[in-house]
């Protein structure tokens, strides 16, 4: 069905804790690029390098969103490269899949528990839009209501390039 589900499901399990500053012996903070950060982590003996950012606006305000992050991950083994994904602090409704919007470009996503991904064929287009845009907006659905998130893309291009370079050494 989705050719990289196992890799995709790992992508955001690594991003949220590092952004929140939680302690992890395996996560290594590499640097900050404006509103984006770069990390590396070893997952099942494979080095994962990723650029990540936190949502700067969450709606509705009264909802318990948990941590909301957008990540672009690359695996040194090559199992995935420049893989964009969203992670939220609740279970996303699969019947109301998230939509990512950058400028006039819209990307349909699919939900797996508390994570959302684009089809493999859309990865490159979404990453290209992330690198040239100024804001990412994602509309999603919690179990009882619709949600929306905004992410700054300031620094995204440098952060994504740095994460990719780290895993291609």
């Amino acid at each position: 069905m989705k050719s990289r589900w196992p890799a995709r499901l790992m992508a955001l399990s690594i991003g949220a804790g590092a952004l929140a500053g939680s302690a992890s012996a395996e996560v290594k903070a590499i640097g900050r690029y404006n509103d984006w950060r770069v990390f590396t982590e070893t997952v099942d003996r494979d080095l994962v390098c990723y650029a990540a950012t936190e949502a700067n606006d969450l709606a509705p305000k009264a909802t318990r969103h948990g941590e909301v992050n957008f990540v672009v991950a690359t695996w040194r083994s090559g199992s995935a490269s420049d893989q964009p994904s969203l992670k939220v602090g609740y279970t996303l409704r699969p019947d109301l899949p998230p939509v990512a919007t950058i400028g006039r470009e819209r990307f349909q996503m699919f939900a797996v528990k508390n994570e959302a991904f684009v089809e493999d064929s859309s990865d490159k287009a979404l990453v290209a839009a992330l690198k040239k845009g100024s804001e990412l907006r994602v509309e999603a659905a919690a179990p009882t209501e619709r949600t929306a998130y905004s992410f700054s893309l300031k620094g995204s291009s440098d952060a994504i390039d740095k994460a990719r370079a780290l895993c291609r050494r």
Side-chain angles (χ1 to χ4, degrees):
M1 195 164 149
K2 309 287 186 262
S3 64
R4 289 188 279 165
W5 271 36
R8 288 180 182 281
L9 293 175
M10 286 190 300
L12 286 170
S13 64
I14 58 182
L19 283 174
S22 66
S24 174
E26 294 185 36
V27 175
K28 181 178 179 185
I30 301 300
R32 185 178 191 121
Y33 297 82
N34 293 307
D35 296 328
W36 284 66
R37 296 178 185 174
V38 175
F39 302 92
T40 61
E41 182 175 1
T42 301
V43 177
D44 296 330
R45 296 186 189 174
D46 193 359
L47 183 66
V48 182
C49 307
Y50 54 99
T53 190
E54 296 175 284
N56 56 23
D57 188 39
L58 302 93
K61 298 290 185 201
T63 298
R64 290 186 181 180
H65 299 273
E67 292 181 29
V68 179
N69 302 289
F70 203 87
V71 175
V72 178
T74 295
W75 278 252
R76 179 166 280 166
S77 67
S79 64
S81 181
D82 288 347
Q83 179 187 77
S85 53
L86 167 77
K87 183 172 185 179
V88 296
Y90 57 86
T91 300
L92 292 160
R93 287 184 53 182
D95 61 321
L96 294 171
V99 175
T101 305
I102 302 170
R104 294 182 182 190
E105 295 183 77
R106 292 175 53 90
F107 301 89
Q108 188 67 51
M109 304 182 85
F110 63 92
V112 180
K113 298 182 182 179
N114 67 326
E115 298 175 279
F117 309 94
V118 293
E119 296 289 342
D120 291 349
S121 61
S122 296
D123 282 353
K124 287 182 182 181
L126 177 52
V127 170
L130 289 168
K131 291 174 73 172
K132 68 181 180 183
S134 61
E135 181 182 59
L136 164 66
R137 181 169 172 83
V138 180
E139 295 177 2
T144 60
E145 63 195 340
R146 292 186 183 257
T147 56
Y149 305 104
S150 293
F151 302 86
S152 168
L153 297 180
K154 188 174 182 181
S156 61
S157 184
D158 290 338
I160 291 166
D161 289 346
K162 178 65 174 181
R164 181 186 315 123
L166 287 167
C167 268
R168 289 199 173 152
R169 290 183 181 177

